Amino acid sequence: MSLRPAILIARKVFPEVVERLREFCEVDRNETDQVLGPTDLVQRLQGKVGALTTGSERIDAALLAACPQLRVVCNIAVGFNNFDVPAMTAAGVMATNTPDVLTETTADFGFALLMATARRMAESEHFLRAGQWNRWALDMFAGAEVHGSTLGILGMGRIGQAIARRGAHGFGMNVIYHNRSRLDAATEADCKASYVSKAQLLAQADHLILVVPYSPEAHHAIGAAEFAQMKPTATLVNIARGGIVDDAALALALRERRIAAAGLDVFEGEPKVHPDLLTVPNVVLTPHIASATLKTRRAMADLAADNLIAYLTTGRALTPLNAIVTEA
Ligand code: GLV
């Protein structure tokens, strides 16, 4: 019988990453790439001490109770709302995520989505493809100014700061932010960003971008009451998590032009998308791809594999979420 630790790779990953893991572990992998539901995941995890997951696999108390051999689960994502971290800590299971390696790529995408939304790129492209363009017109798809406008950022972690730098230094934007805690003065100066209350953020932003992690407290942090406080000319961009925005209320606000436009990379209950969002023209919709460059997705998978190997070979992870769980 092999003494090498048995692990599960819960979704399809790059072959090079599988090979690296095979140097240290007995690897079972979900080659179909279909998301494993709770029952199948428990079944596939039997006898496994480690797992590589994505945001689609839920690791909670029920699963942990059914998989008592599990010691480490490494998410290929910076967000980890699919993990019940306190339950993992209580079960002595190390949890890791993939911070830093995706920061700049995700900020690039946030900015791209903001620009596509403000400048009505998807809406105008659909118009062109539909053969509706028969003459140039002065006000055709006139959108909102990006340079020199006020960029509001809700959530000022690493990605929020990288977006602030792009806005302030690249586009001459006036950057305001709201966060649970205020940044230190040096970081605020580097980002050229001013701290404001949530109410001020909503009222002043020409473009509001959401970069807060999902938590039950953040559920529907942006809904009808918030749209009512925003400028009717404002755009909203969500690259954080579904559920932070009330998608039904957003579709209504877009239809009634209570705000001008939205760009969404994440959705409540994704990969399902609220049907009303599919019928309003002033929204740009992308399928959760903010970190999706080949280089960054590879770096994320590598970091998850490094975490798994480090923890199983040294008892220490590189980017732990519950560092309290360490092995001697
Ligand atoms: C993607 O959403 C991530 O959390 O990395």
Side-chain angles (χ1 to χ4, degrees):
M1 205 179 95
S2 169
L3 293 175
R4 284 146 45 92
I7 65 151
L8 173 69
I9 306 178
R11 298 289 301 282
K12 198 167 172 190
V13 298
F14 302 94
E16 298 86 346
V17 177
V18 177
E19 287 317 308
R20 275 200 52 233
L21 286 163
R22 281 207 172 115
E23 288 172 26
F24 299 90
C25 312
E26 286 304 314
V27 175
D28 177 19
R29 62 197 170 114
N30 174 12
E31 282 168 270
T32 69
D33 206 31
Q34 294 300 316
V35 177
L36 297 169
T39 312
D40 290 337
L41 188 57
V42 164
Q43 195 244 316
R44 287 292 281 269
L45 281 172
Q46 290 311 301
K48 311 285 170 27
V49 296
L52 234 62
T53 54
T54 69
S56 308
E57 294 80 32
R58 177 130 189 90
I59 307 295
D60 57 16
L63 178 136
L64 294 164
C67 304
Q69 317 84 338
L70 203 56
R71 288 162 52 204
V72 52
V73 185
C74 302
N75 227 21
I76 311 175
V78 68
F80 50 90
N81 52 304
N82 57 314
F83 283 0
D84 181 339
V85 177
M88 292 173 81
T89 305
V93 173
M94 167 59 68
T96 70
N97 67 339
T98 59
D100 300 320
V101 291
L102 48 57
T103 300
E104 298 299 329
T105 299
T106 304
D108 284 349
F109 187 87
F111 221 86
L113 193 51
L114 186 159
M115 294 193 74
T117 305
R119 297 300 307 273
R120 306 177 64 181
M121 291 178 107
E123 198 183 344
S124 59
E125 205 224 10
H126 294 155
F127 167 87
L128 182 151
R129 282 181 190 270
Q132 292 176 306
W133 187 28
N134 52 26
R135 69 189 196 297
W136 185 90
L138 195 58
D139 62 351
M140 189 167 70
F141 292 106
E145 210 70 86
V146 174
H147 74 272
S149 64
T150 295
L151 171 62
I153 304 177
L154 184 64
M156 199 60 157
R158 289 165 285 228
I159 298 170
Q161 292 171 32
I163 290 170
R165 285 190 205 96
R166 281 161 177 73
H169 301 294
F171 288 79
M173 296 171 93
N174 165 39
V175 180
I176 55 177
Y177 76 96
H178 183 71
N179 197 43
R180 255 181 323 186
S181 49
R182 188 172 172 168
L183 300 179
D184 60 66
T187 311
E188 278 191 357
D190 177 40
C191 296
K192 284 178 120 182
S194 311
Y195 181 81
V196 294
S197 67
K198 184 178 170 190
Q200 288 169 316
L201 187 82
L202 293 169
Q204 293 172 21
D206 294 312
H207 307 289
L208 175 62
I209 184 157
L210 310 179
V211 209
V212 280
Y214 183 83
S215 65
E217 302 76 57
H219 187 75
H220 287 187
I222 303 292
E226 286 72 25
F227 300 133
Q229 296 173 63
M230 291 171 67
K231 297 180 185 180
T233 50
T235 61
L236 172 74
V237 172
N238 187 8
I239 57 163
R241 275 291 180 273
I244 292 169
V245 174
D246 178 342
D247 284 350
L250 174 60
L252 190 64
L254 288 169
R255 192 179 301 286
E256 296 182 346
R257 305 274 167 175
R258 277 185 256 146
I259 64 168
L264 306 174
D265 188 49
V266 288
F267 304 87
E268 285 189 278
E270 64 185 50
K272 291 204 184 96
V273 174
H274 194 290
D276 294 353
L277 286 172
L278 298 171
T279 62
V280 284
N282 43 345
V283 62
V284 182
L285 308 168
T286 53
H288 202 145
I289 56 168
S291 64
T293 64
L294 268 179
K295 187 176 169 201
T296 293
R297 286 283 164 89
R298 176 66 197 271
M300 291 163 68
D302 277 334
L303 178 53
D306 288 343
N307 267 310
L308 195 77
I309 293 165
Y311 192 69
L312 290 177
T313 56
T314 70
R316 295 276 185 282
L318 307 175
T319 54
L321 293 166
N322 51 357
I324 194 165
V325 179
T326 49
E327 296 187 342

